[in-house]
Amino acid sequence: PTMTSLFPPYVFHHYTYLHDSIPHLIPTIKGLVSRKALTKSMEELLPSSGSYVRQLLSHVLNSTQSHDSSVTMETLKQCIRDLDQLGKVEPNLSGCVKFSSQLLQCQLLMMKVHHAVSCVVMVTNDIAADIRELFLLSYRLQWAYECHDPQLLVVLHLLRVIAHSGLILLALKLEWTSEHKERFYQLQDGLVTRIENMKKMCVAHKLSLPIYLQ
């Protein structure tokens, strides 16, 4: 009992977590604070996991305002890794952190595609793979989860508009306009259809369309 007062708060937190998750390996140690006292002390001394997720996402949002794309991309990668780890430690938050992680992956893919198509020498296979992954993630985010806010649905549609635009930029770089005219026109028509559907969604939910699509 005299030793427990010398322990930092995280010791009690780790002990409680391990004792609950693998009780057959972690013995009950007499003299430690009760669960009620422990819960109270942890609430006072440690931020909640939900608060941590909000802080993490806020940090990423601030970093995206940076003019240094390499710094922003590295921040996104680190945040995605942190969210994946948090999902393993806090099962109750697994859905939230997985959704947030996939949304950040979309942001990372958009930055990679934007950077790639602006380069003089492109690795077309890598760009095509990133665009395909962006499409898949946007559909997964929309259909694998429920109760989406209308504004979030617009964002997910916007992701596909951006991915489709990336395909057209790639086609222009590869000079499809002269060699594959029919396929290029299909790409253009598909993008127009996506934008029109997005406009209808914004009108239906009384939301503003992004300025560059008006």
Side-chain angles (χ1 to χ4, degrees), residues 157-196:
H157 276 72
L158 180 59
L159 287 175
R160 292 195 280 276
V161 168
I162 292 172
H164 203 126
S165 301
L167 281 177
I168 290 180
L169 287 173
L170 180 59
L172 288 170
K173 289 275 188 177
L174 296 175
E175 299 181 349
W176 277 17
T177 50
S178 58
E179 297 180 10
H180 305 279
K181 287 184 179 180
E182 184 176 349
R183 193 170 179 185
F184 181 75
Y185 291 148
Q186 288 175 350
L187 272 178
Q188 283 186 316
D189 292 342
L191 179 59
V192 171
T193 301
R194 286 188 187 280
I195 294 175
E196 289 301 321

Side-chain angles (χ1 to χ4, degrees), residues 99 140-149 152-153:
F99 183 89
R140 194 174 300 156
L141 286 166
Q142 181 171 348
W143 300 111
Y145 302 87
E146 297 180 347
C147 303
H148 285 320
D149 183 273
L152 178 59
L153 289 175

Side-chain angles (χ1 to χ4, degrees), residues 109 112-113 116-117 121-133 167 170 174 176:
L109 287 168
K112 288 173 66 177
V113 171
V117 296
V121 179
M122 297 188 307
V123 183
T124 55
N125 288 338
D126 291 348
I127 299 174
D130 288 340
I131 291 174
R132 183 168 57 251
E133 182 67 14
L167 281 177
L170 180 59
L174 296 175
W176 277 17

Side-chain angles (χ1 to χ4, degrees), residues 14-27:
H14 291 327
Y15 168 75
T16 302
Y17 171 74
L18 293 172
H19 187 266
D20 286 346
S21 58
I22 46 175
H24 58 292
L25 295 178
I26 306 298

